[in-house]
């Protein structure tokens, strides 16, 4: 049956190119393998030529798949499940790319694109290492191609195809109205597409500009780890145990820079889009991306040790194998659904667990078997390093990095252990503290080693010369650290005093790292920046540590609830830390006065923007923040809030919405309840009591409004709230030209409306009272102060710049050596 409104050609072309990419990557893998195994150069070149053709075909296929899928998404072809599930007509154009990698299929495709780019560069630059290295890279491409194949083999489905039609996905089985005579068994109506007006939209939390640029950078980091892994495997395979290290070092540095920046872009997204009040929550998916980076850094340092002293080659092999292994393990964790509700980042389970596990094992097991088999053949210097040598302490630092990665992944893998062994190991009661209490000591050790190690020489250092060079930076660092701890008031009082003392020491060590490495650029390298990549990266790393320690330990809640206005909050929110702002009323918050001025709505979405004006009490500053929230989005009751922040050079004021008045829930269905009161009488309501003080009659009323016999009476009332606040309120009753009119008065902060309904001859009154949430239009705001948060972000940039400088220098050295030889 042909269905009206379907566009089948893009999907058919997409299927074609998926199959082509699968076949081409397999041919490239086999051909490169044969080239690497060839006994003579003629055969090797012949196989290599075929391999290149196949790989180029793979590149063209992947680009075509990407282009077709983007065409489907951008043109809102909702007959395709992927477009319907991840996009909508109301989605801004700038977020269309984010739709692409929201789903598993798109993110695997993004990974493949990165591999294609890296493979093309490797073909051009890797010379004699091309065949063995590209064998590994092409096989990784083949493994990724299977993830989006969607092909059935004997009833088993390999991968999930991004071009599957909505009608074939099973999604419409729960929509009888789209079927013939409302019967699912009879099939879809021929015109079912006329009823599908819009897509499911992109997850609101991903509608952020960071999610357009963060995933490509992160996946390039993920993809690039295959290159040092491939070089290490090629060295073991071809028994050229040291030769691979020279071309692999620039690639390892590139991977470290890109992966590190990608991870911290994710932290920036979390800071700007999520509402846990920070940038890192030790979320399992965050951890799973951090662990490979930590091990990669270990591998880079042991590789440098080997290049300068001949030590640690075995460790380098191990670290690069584990780096890529943990990239695959993080893929399994993120995409298998095994993390369940423990992560906000994880994909849903698409039934690919065994395929993901195979992806992991098919690389890791052979790599370890080869490593163990060749272990004794890998050159190793049996003489121990001198404790005064640079390589000794670099190895200690690498080991600490590696052990920290093992600690993090062990805690992260608790759900996996429970799933496999059927155990019920509970996660830590305080997850954040469980990691921090260990990592703060690791930060101390790493920062201290990073500060002093560059002042040591390879193979041994004169103690006198070492202390002579490092003395001045040490004194400067002690002075600066003391000033920061005394003036900066670095305190973290949520936990024990011992933990706070550990933070102080870590702060001092971080300062030492910054000062000592900055000084070394001039003391050790004579100010030659092109040779200072390592020192620059270490300065940036020290800034990252210092920024984390200061911003986290000095994070201050600004929104202390002083007005006592209650509001419904999520169970994880502390009412004392959330300030309710009633529309139009100014409220004090620390050094600021806040006014909720109103809200505006997105023209096509359930997205509201809340305008909050901040004025400093000294009158020197005024600004507006506009945090926003998706309200009851797509039938999901509640808020999904995006923060807004005011950035200063030394801190951020960070705000987000935790509660709002909901018009759908607070429609005014209550009525005024009459109560007879005499002057001095009290009347209780749910949050306090009301005292009727006196009845006043207004004189000299304008005759043109009230007539000759008109009157205006006002009941003077005092409202005493439970919070201790006292209010004056005055409802009125007017008689104008023979018509009686009651003029109610409202007390917004107490959700209270009072109406003077009748005046008796003895000056007693009948007072109508109504308590209703509809009286009050409010938002509840949470605000933090993050001190020196920019030090962290700036440190990330400096670290990346330093690593890139080192990478460029290594590339130049390699080219020079090839030219000379």
């Amino acid at each position: 049956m042909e269905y009206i409104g379907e566009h089948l050609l893009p999907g058919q072309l997409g299927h074609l190119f998926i199959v082509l990419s699968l076949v081409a990557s397999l041919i490239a893998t086999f051909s490169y393998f044969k080239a690497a195994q060839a006994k003579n150069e003629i055969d090797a070149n012949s196989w290599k030529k075929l391999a290149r053709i196949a790989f180029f075909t793979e590149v063209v296929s992947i680009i075509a798949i990407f282009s077709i899928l983007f065409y489907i998404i951008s043109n809102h072809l909702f007959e395709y499940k992927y477009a319907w599930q991840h996009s909508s007509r109301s989605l801004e154009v700038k977020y269309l790319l984010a739709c692409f990698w929201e789903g598993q299929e798109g993110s695997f495709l993004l990974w493949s694109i990165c591999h294609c780019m890296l493979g093309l560069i490797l073909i051009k630059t890797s010379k004699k290492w091309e065949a063995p290295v590209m064998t590994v890279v092409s096989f990784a491409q083949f493994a990724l191609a299977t993830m989006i194949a969607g092909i059935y083999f004997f009833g088993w489905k390999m991968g999930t195809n991004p071009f599957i039609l909505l009608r074939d996905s099973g999604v419409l089985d729960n929509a009888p109205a789209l079927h013939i005579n409302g019967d699912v068994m009879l099939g879809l109506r021929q015109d079912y597409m006329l009823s599908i007006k819009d897509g499911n939209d992109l997850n609101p939390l991903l509608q952020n500009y960071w999610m357009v640029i963060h995933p490509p950078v992160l996946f390039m980091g993920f993809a690039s780890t295959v290159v040092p892994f491939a070089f290490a495997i090629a060295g073991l395979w071809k028994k050229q145990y040291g030769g691979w290290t020279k071309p692999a070092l620039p690639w390892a540095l590139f991977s470290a820079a890109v992966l590190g920046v990608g991870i911290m872009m994710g932290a920036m997204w979390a800071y700007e889009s999520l509402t846990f009040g920070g940038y890192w929550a030790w979320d399992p998916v965050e951890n799973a991306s951090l662990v490979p980076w930590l091990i990669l850094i270990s591998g880079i340092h042991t590789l440098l040790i080997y290049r300068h002293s001949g030590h640690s080659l075995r460790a380098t092999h191990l670290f690069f194998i584990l780096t890529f292994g943990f990239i695959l393990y993080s893929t399994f964790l993120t995409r298998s659904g095994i993390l369940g509700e423990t992560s906000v980042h994880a994909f849903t389970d698409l039934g690919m667990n065994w395929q993901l596990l195979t992806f992991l094992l098919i690389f890791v097991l052979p790599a370890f078997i080869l490593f163990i088999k060749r272990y004794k053949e890998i050159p190793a210097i049996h003489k121990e390093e001198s404790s005064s040598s640079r390589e000794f302490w670099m190895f200690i630092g690498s080991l600490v990095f590696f052990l920290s990665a093992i600690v993090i992944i062990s805690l992260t893998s608790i759900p996996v252990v429970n799933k496999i062994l059927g155990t019920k190991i509970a996660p830590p009661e305080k997850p954040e503290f469980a990691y921090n209490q260990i990592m703060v000591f690791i930060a101390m050790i790493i920062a201290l080693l990073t500060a002093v190690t560059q002042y040591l020489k390879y193979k041994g250092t004169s103690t006198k010369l070492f202390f002579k060079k490092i003395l001045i930076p040490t004194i400067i660092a002690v002075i600066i650290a003391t000033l920061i701890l005394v003036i900066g008031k670095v305190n973290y009082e949520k936990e024990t005093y011992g933990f706070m003392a550990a933070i102080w020491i870590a702060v001092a060590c971080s300062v030492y790292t910054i000062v000592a490495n900055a000084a070394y650029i001039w003391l050790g390298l004579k100010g030659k920046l092109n040779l200072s990549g390592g020192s620059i990266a270490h300065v940036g790393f020290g800034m990252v540590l210092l920024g984390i320690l200061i911003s986290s330990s000095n994070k201050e809640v600004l929104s202390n609830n002083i007005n006592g206005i209650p509001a419904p909050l999520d169970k994880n929110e502390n009412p004392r830390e959330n300030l309710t702002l009633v529309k139009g009323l100014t409220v004090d918050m620390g050094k600021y006065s806040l006014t909720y001025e109103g809200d505006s709505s997105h023209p096509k979405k359930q997205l509201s923007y809340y305008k909050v004006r901040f004025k400093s009490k000294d009158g020197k500053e005024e600004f507006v923040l506009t945090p926003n929230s998706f309200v009851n989005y797509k039938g999901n009751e509640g808020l999904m809030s995006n923060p807004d922040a005011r950035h200063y050079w030394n801190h951020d004021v960070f705000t987000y919405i935790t509660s709002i008045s909901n018009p759908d829930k607070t429609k005014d269905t209550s009525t005024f309840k009459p109560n007879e009161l005499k002057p001095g009488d009290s009347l209780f309501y749910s949050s306090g009591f009301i005292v009727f003080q006196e009845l006043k009659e207004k004189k000299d009323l304008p005759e043109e409004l009230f007539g000759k016999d008109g009157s205006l009476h006002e009941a003077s009332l005092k409202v005493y709230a439970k919070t201790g606040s006292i209010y004056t309120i005055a409802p009125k009753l007017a008689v104008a030209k023979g018509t009686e009119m009651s003029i109610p008065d409202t007390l917004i902060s107490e959700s209270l409306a009072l109406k003077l309904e009748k005046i008796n001859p003895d000056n007693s009154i009948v007072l109508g009272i109504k308590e209703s949430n509809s009286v009050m239009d409010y938002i509840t705001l949470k605000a933090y102060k993050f001190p020196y948060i920019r030090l962290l972000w700036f440190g990330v940039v400096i670290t990346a710049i330093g690593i890139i400088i080192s990478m460029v220098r290594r590339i130049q050295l390699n080219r020079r050596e090839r030219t000379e030889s």
Side-chain angles (χ1 to χ4, degrees):
M1 180 188 292
E2 291 187 6
Y3 294 93
I4 299 169
E6 286 189 342
H7 302 78
L8 300 182
L9 181 60
Q12 292 166 349
L13 290 173
H15 282 291
L16 172 66
F17 282 112
I18 283 176
V19 174
L20 185 59
S21 72
L22 187 70
V23 174
S25 58
L26 185 59
I27 293 173
T29 303
F30 179 76
S31 301
Y32 270 125
F33 177 80
K34 293 294 288 183
Q37 293 291 85
K39 302 298 183 182
N40 59 73
E41 193 171 339
I42 295 175
D43 287 347
N45 288 337
S46 179
W47 281 111
K48 197 183 294 184
K49 184 177 180 180
L50 177 60
R52 287 177 175 176
I53 293 171
F55 191 82
F56 293 150
T57 304
E58 160 75 358
V59 172
V60 171
S61 299
I62 292 296
I63 292 172
I65 296 166
F66 178 92
S67 302
I68 292 168
L69 188 57
F70 186 73
Y71 171 82
I72 288 172
I73 292 170
S74 59
N75 285 277
H76 310 301
L77 303 185
F78 297 129
E79 57 267 42
Y80 294 94
K81 181 191 174 187
Y82 204 85
W84 174 84
Q85 188 172 19
H86 301 293
S87 69
S88 70
R89 296 186 187 279
S90 61
L91 190 68
E92 292 92 333
V93 174
K94 60 185 177 182
Y95 297 135
L96 287 176
L97 279 174
C99 295
F100 188 91
W101 39 74
E102 184 192 25
Q104 292 220 36
E105 302 91 330
S107 60
F108 275 126
L109 192 54
L110 178 60
W111 194 345
S112 292
I113 290 169
C114 295
H115 269 180
C116 289
M117 295 168 63
L118 297 171
L120 291 174
I121 297 171
L122 283 166
I123 288 171
K124 184 175 178 60
T125 63
S126 53
K127 307 300 179 185
K128 69 173 186 176
W129 291 100
E130 179 187 345
V133 168
M134 284 301 297
T135 301
V136 178
V137 174
S138 296
F139 188 56
Q141 273 293 79
F142 172 72
L144 289 171
T146 66
M147 297 295 173
I148 60 169
I151 300 172
Y152 283 90
F153 290 98
F154 305 104
W156 171 70
K157 185 182 178 184
M158 181 175 70
T160 58
N161 192 312
F163 299 107
I164 187 171
L165 292 168
L166 186 62
R167 58 180 162 88
D168 295 332
S169 68
V171 171
L172 301 181
D173 290 350
N174 296 321
L178 301 182
H179 291 76
I180 299 171
N181 298 330
D183 189 342
V184 176
M185 300 300 293
L186 295 177
L188 285 168
R189 298 195 324 259
Q190 195 172 5
D191 63 348
Y192 82 96
M193 277 299 299
L194 299 177
S195 300
I196 299 176
K197 304 295 185 183
D198 205 353
N200 198 46
D201 205 8
L202 179 67
N203 185 321
L205 295 179
L206 303 184
Q207 295 182 30
N208 180 283
Y209 64 95
W210 282 110
M211 289 312 293
V212 177
I213 58 176
H214 155 60
V217 176
L218 184 66
F219 274 93
M220 178 58 81
F222 282 171
S224 64
T225 60
V226 77
V227 181
F229 169 80
F231 272 106
I233 295 300
L236 293 171
W237 175 13
K238 306 306 293 181
K239 296 186 178 181
Q240 297 183 31
Y241 301 110
W244 65 272
T245 58
K246 191 185 297 181
L249 181 53
W251 282 105
L253 290 166
F254 170 80
S255 185
V258 177
L259 182 56
V261 170
I263 291 169
M264 293 312 295
M265 278 183 170
M268 193 66 168
W269 164 72
Y271 181 66
E272 292 198 2
S273 290
L274 302 183
T275 57
F276 63 84
Y279 43 83
W280 196 267
W282 294 111
D283 179 275
V285 174
E286 293 173 346
N287 297 348
S289 62
L290 176 64
V291 165
W293 185 83
L294 292 172
I295 299 175
L296 177 60
I297 296 299
S298 298
I300 289 171
H301 284 84
T302 55
L303 180 50
L304 289 170
I305 291 171
Y306 171 73
R307 297 295 303 161
H308 287 91
S309 70
H311 288 283
S312 301
L313 183 57
R314 290 171 175 171
T316 304
H317 280 91
L318 177 63
F319 288 148
F320 283 161
I321 291 171
L322 286 174
T323 296
F324 187 62
F326 276 111
I327 287 289
L328 300 182
Y329 180 62
S330 72
T331 301
F332 173 74
L333 280 181
T334 307
R335 299 169 187 272
S336 65
I338 204 166
L339 293 175
E341 300 297 322
T342 62
S343 173
V344 298
H345 303 277
F347 290 95
T348 54
D349 181 9
L350 292 182
M352 295 170 57
N353 290 13
W354 284 108
Q355 191 175 346
L356 291 167
L357 188 59
T358 303
F359 187 19
L360 168 64
L361 296 178
I362 206 168
F363 279 92
V364 173
L365 287 182
F368 272 108
I369 291 170
L370 185 61
F371 175 65
I372 293 168
K373 185 178 178 181
R374 299 276 200 261
Y375 183 81
K376 291 184 179 179
E377 298 177 24
I378 300 173
I381 299 174
H382 296 290
K383 180 184 176 183
E384 292 187 3
E385 304 100 319
S386 167
S387 60
S388 65
S389 67
R390 181 183 291 188
E391 62 266 27
F392 177 82
W393 293 106
M394 281 177 68
F395 184 78
I396 296 296
S398 299
L399 198 59
V400 172
F401 257 107
F402 174 65
L403 292 176
S404 69
I406 298 303
V407 169
I408 293 169
I409 205 65
S410 298
L411 291 172
T412 303
S413 298
I414 289 175
V416 181
V417 174
N418 288 338
K419 185 89 170 179
I420 294 173
L421 302 180
T423 54
K424 295 183 179 179
I425 302 172
E429 187 178 346
K430 297 180 178 179
E432 186 178 333
F433 183 60
Y435 288 99
N436 288 342
Q437 65 181 339
I438 298 170
M439 299 310 293
V440 69
F441 291 101
I442 289 172
M444 286 182 211
I445 298 169
I446 292 296
L448 192 60
L449 291 174
T450 306
V452 303
T453 301
Q454 289 211 84
Y455 287 85
L456 298 170
K457 293 185 177 181
Y458 287 104
K459 300 181 180 179
T461 309
S462 163
T463 305
K464 183 178 179 181
L465 182 62
F466 168 74
F467 282 108
K468 181 180 178 182
K469 282 190 173 182
I470 206 168
L471 179 61
I472 294 176
T474 303
I475 294 171
I476 294 172
V478 168
I479 294 170
I480 294 174
T482 303
L483 289 173
I484 290 173
L485 291 171
V486 173
I487 299 173
K489 298 179 181 178
V490 179
N491 297 314
Y492 190 81
E493 298 175 353
K494 290 183 180 179
E495 305 298 341
T496 63
Y497 286 111
F499 184 65
M500 188 162 66
I503 289 176
W504 291 345
I505 297 171
V507 167
C509 292
S510 302
V511 172
Y512 195 19
T513 295
I514 297 169
V515 173
N517 280 279
Y520 186 78
I521 295 172
W522 278 268
L523 295 175
L525 300 171
K526 312 300 182 185
K528 298 176 181 177
L529 294 180
N530 63 318
L531 304 178
S532 305
S535 296
I536 292 170
H538 292 160
V539 168
F541 180 69
M543 293 168 68
V544 168
L545 287 180
L546 189 60
I548 290 171
L549 290 164
I550 292 179
S551 64
S552 299
S553 60
N554 265 19
K555 184 173 76 173
E556 178 186 352
V557 176
L558 300 177
S559 52
N560 296 303
N561 190 354
I562 57 172
N563 59 17
I565 300 175
L569 296 171
D570 183 87
K571 63 181 180 180
N572 297 319
E573 290 289 353
N574 184 349
R576 295 183 179 182
E577 296 180 351
N578 290 266
L579 185 63
T580 298
L581 305 177
V582 177
K583 188 174 181 179
L585 297 182
T586 299
V587 176
D588 287 343
M589 187 186 80
K591 72 173 189 175
Y592 298 106
S593 295
L594 273 61
T595 307
Y596 166 38
E597 296 187 339
D599 57 78
S600 58
S601 298
H602 192 282
K604 297 181 180 180
K605 295 184 180 179
Q606 295 158 298
L607 176 62
S608 296
Y609 301 86
Y610 303 95
K611 184 178 179 181
V612 181
R613 185 171 298 278
F614 286 66
K615 287 184 180 180
S616 61
K617 292 178 181 176
D618 59 10
K620 294 182 179 179
E621 186 181 14
E622 183 175 342
F623 59 91
V624 173
L625 293 182
T626 314
N628 65 74
S629 291
F630 284 87
V631 185
N632 300 331
Y633 188 72
K634 295 286 183 183
N636 297 313
E637 198 169 287
L639 295 181
M640 285 185 281
S641 295
N642 289 309
D644 195 11
R646 174 75 168 182
H647 304 290
Y648 299 87
W649 72 269
N650 61 346
H651 71 277
D652 280 4
V653 175
F654 173 96
T655 63
Y656 64 93
I657 303 298
T658 55
S659 179
I660 62 169
S661 52
N662 189 340
D664 295 331
K665 281 192 169 186
T666 57
K667 290 179 180 177
D668 192 3
T669 58
S670 59
T671 58
F672 285 96
K673 295 180 181 179
N675 298 270
E676 191 165 321
L677 298 174
K678 295 178 181 179
D681 284 354
S682 297
L683 173 65
F684 285 89
Y685 69 103
S686 61
S687 299
F689 64 94
I690 304 162
V691 177
F692 172 35
Q693 292 184 309
E694 61 178 328
L695 183 68
K696 299 178 181 177
E697 183 178 2
K698 297 291 185 180
K699 304 292 185 181
D700 301 324
L701 300 173
E703 188 173 326
E704 61 272 17
L705 292 178
F706 286 85
K708 291 183 179 180
D709 300 320
S711 64
L712 178 63
H713 289 83
E714 178 182 279
S716 179
L717 304 165
K718 284 277 188 182
V719 180
Y720 296 84
K722 285 181 180 179
T723 59
S725 300
I726 302 174
Y727 307 92
T728 299
I729 191 168
K732 299 175 178 65
L733 182 64
V735 177
K737 297 181 179 180
T739 302
E740 189 173 271
M741 293 180 296
S742 182
I743 307 170
D745 201 354
T746 57
L747 188 56
I748 293 175
S749 60
E750 295 294 297
S751 301
L752 192 64
L754 299 174
K755 179 180 179 182
L756 182 55
E757 296 184 340
K758 183 180 178 183
I759 301 172
N760 297 318
D762 60 354
N763 275 347
S764 64
I765 63 172
V766 176
L767 182 70
I769 180 170
K770 179 171 69 171
E771 294 185 70
S772 172
N773 286 334
S774 65
V775 170
M776 185 164 63
D777 189 2
Y778 71 88
I779 59 172
T780 303
L781 186 82
K782 191 160 190 177
Y784 288 105
K785 176 183 177 182
F786 279 99
Y788 298 99
I789 187 73
R790 289 199 168 190
L791 187 62
L792 166 61
W793 309 129
F794 192 49
V796 172
V797 174
I798 297 297
T799 303
I801 289 172
I803 294 174
I804 290 170
I805 290 173
S806 295
M807 180 192 76
V808 170
R809 179 170 175 265
R810 291 292 169 177
I811 292 172
Q812 291 172 342
L813 288 174
N814 290 349
R815 285 176 179 171
R816 191 180 305 158
E817 288 181 18
R818 282 200 301 268
T819 303
E820 292 173 356
S821 61

